[in-house]
Amino acid sequence: MTTPPVCNYEGSDYQTSFWEKGGREYEDRTEAIALKRLLPKSGRLLLELGAGAGRNTPRYLGFDRIVLLDYSRTQLEQAQQRLGKSDKYIYVAADVYRLPFVPGLFDAATMIRTLHHMADAPKALGQVKNVLDAGGVFILEFANKLNLKAIVRYLLGRQKWSPFTLKPVEFVKLNFDFHPKAVRNWLNDLGFTIEKTLTLSHFRMGFLKRIVPTSILVFFDSLFQWTGAWWQFTPSVFVRAKAKGGRRKDELPANPSLFFKCPDCSHSPLIDKKDYLECSNCHKTWGVRDGIFDFREPVIN
Ligand SMILES: [Zn+2]
């Protein structure tokens, strides 16, 4: 099966270099505010796509259980160190284009700063729709190509690509910016209803971040976030979308091994063999090591 290329953070010190030492306190705090405004207060099971080292995970504690998904195992190991091994967290290394979950499993999903690594964004969003229950909530953040800086640069002739077209722009390999209308179209076509849109990072400018105290920038950004309902010209946009249809309210299985399907042949349930999960249909086995389910490649027996 061929799937689009994946941006792999294996072995990356992204959490430290970008978030902790990279002067991103403003972005981190404005994201916390947006998530609070968009997330359901509580729920049973949330899927965090592109969880990385778990920076946002403590913001989802209203949910009974949280599945942290990332392509990079080392990012998940960092998340384990930060959050601890508990029944509340389920760590899954998997490819977003081949999600290993039974359909309709989750009542919520988040994808923050992750879509911008997707070469085939609609395909990834379709996978999310499949694993969300009807009525489930999806919080999506995307990088916006129609941002003020890009518009000004384009109009001054200092940038070749147009921010006004719907096509995603790949400005660095496997880093994409999207047009808000394109994202809305994809979500609508997949059967989502968009309920809220917030714009973030109105003041993502080096000189402002240096001279204005972060708390003041965060305060004004939090006010301006609501203007996302009318226009979106900031580099970062948050959308709250709901999967159409009524909720099923099935009981969740207590054993997380029953959450999964085979990412290769879609068969479920998989047989729990402690160190691995086995597909009784295609006979592939998927590793479970140190509390991390690994669905990237089958284990060779
Ligand atoms: Zn299989």
Side-chain angles (χ1 to χ4, degrees), residues 8-209:
N8 189 355
Y9 277 68
E10 198 74 22
S12 160
D13 70 340
Y14 167 79
Q15 176 64 32
T16 308
S17 61
F18 186 88
W19 287 106
E20 284 155 30
K21 293 179 185 160
R24 297 312 200 288
E25 186 194 353
Y26 160 68
E27 283 83 356
D28 186 53
R29 286 173 61 182
T30 53
E31 280 184 19
I33 292 168
L35 283 171
K36 209 167 187 177
R37 288 172 171 170
L38 298 177
L39 267 175
K41 292 274 172 290
S42 62
R44 299 184 306 179
L45 185 64
L46 178 137
L47 172 62
E48 182 178 14
L49 294 131
R55 176 179 63 94
N56 273 317
T57 315
R59 294 167 180 161
Y60 307 142
L61 291 188
F63 282 77
D64 299 340
R65 303 181 92 178
I66 299 161
V67 173
L68 291 91
L69 183 135
D70 206 278
Y71 190 76
S72 158
R73 188 183 165 92
T74 56
Q75 291 291 306
L76 292 170
E77 285 165 358
Q78 288 180 40
Q80 268 183 335
Q81 279 169 17
R82 167 188 296 244
L83 303 165
K85 286 184 189 175
S86 102
D87 282 351
K88 193 174 176 80
Y89 306 114
I90 298 153
Y91 300 93
V92 179
D95 179 350
V96 71
Y97 300 111
R98 302 160 63 229
L99 286 184
F101 306 107
V102 295
L105 178 68
F106 297 94
D107 44 9
T110 65
M111 188 190 266
I112 313 296
R113 289 177 178 261
T114 301
L115 193 73
H116 71 277
H117 295 310
M118 307 282 163
D120 190 344
K123 181 168 181 164
L125 297 174
Q127 290 278 302
V128 178
K129 175 66 171 55
N130 287 345
V131 301
L132 266 183
D133 196 359
V137 170
F138 178 36
I139 316 283
L140 171 68
E141 186 274 348
F142 62 90
N144 177 15
K145 72 183 284 199
L146 187 65
N147 66 75
L148 269 186
K149 187 175 158 196
I151 293 170
V152 170
R153 284 174 57 87
Y154 179 68
L155 294 179
L156 293 176
R158 288 171 57 194
Q159 170 187 300
K160 280 202 181 116
W161 55 269
S162 165
F164 302 108
T165 59
L166 295 191
K167 196 173 174 298
V169 58
E170 186 174 24
F171 59 95
V172 175
K173 189 161 173 53
L174 284 180
N175 281 264
F176 299 87
D177 284 354
F178 302 96
H179 195 290
K181 190 170 177 201
V183 176
R184 280 199 294 275
N185 289 347
W186 293 329
L187 291 172
N188 283 324
D189 291 347
L190 287 165
F192 284 105
T193 307
I194 295 172
E195 296 187 323
K196 269 187 191 158
T197 304
L198 301 179
T199 42
L200 272 79
S201 285
H202 291 80
F203 310 109
R204 189 187 290 172
M205 282 165 266
F207 75 97
L208 270 184
K209 282 163 62 172

Side-chain angles (χ1 to χ4, degrees), residues 262 264-267 279 281-284:
C262 175
D264 273 13
C265 77
S266 292
H267 175 81
C279 174
N281 183 51
C282 72
H283 304 292
K284 291 201 174 74

Side-chain angles (χ1 to χ4, degrees), residues 65 90 100-102 105 253-262 267-274 276-278 288 293 295:
R65 303 181 92 178
I90 298 153
F101 306 107
V102 295
L105 178 68
N255 183 347
S257 69
L258 295 172
F259 293 176
F260 300 110
K261 70 172 186 184
C262 175
H267 175 81
S268 68
L270 302 178
I271 306 161
D272 187 355
K273 302 263 191 180
K274 280 244 175 310
Y276 59 92
L277 300 175
E278 185 178 294
V288 187
F293 294 89
F295 289 95

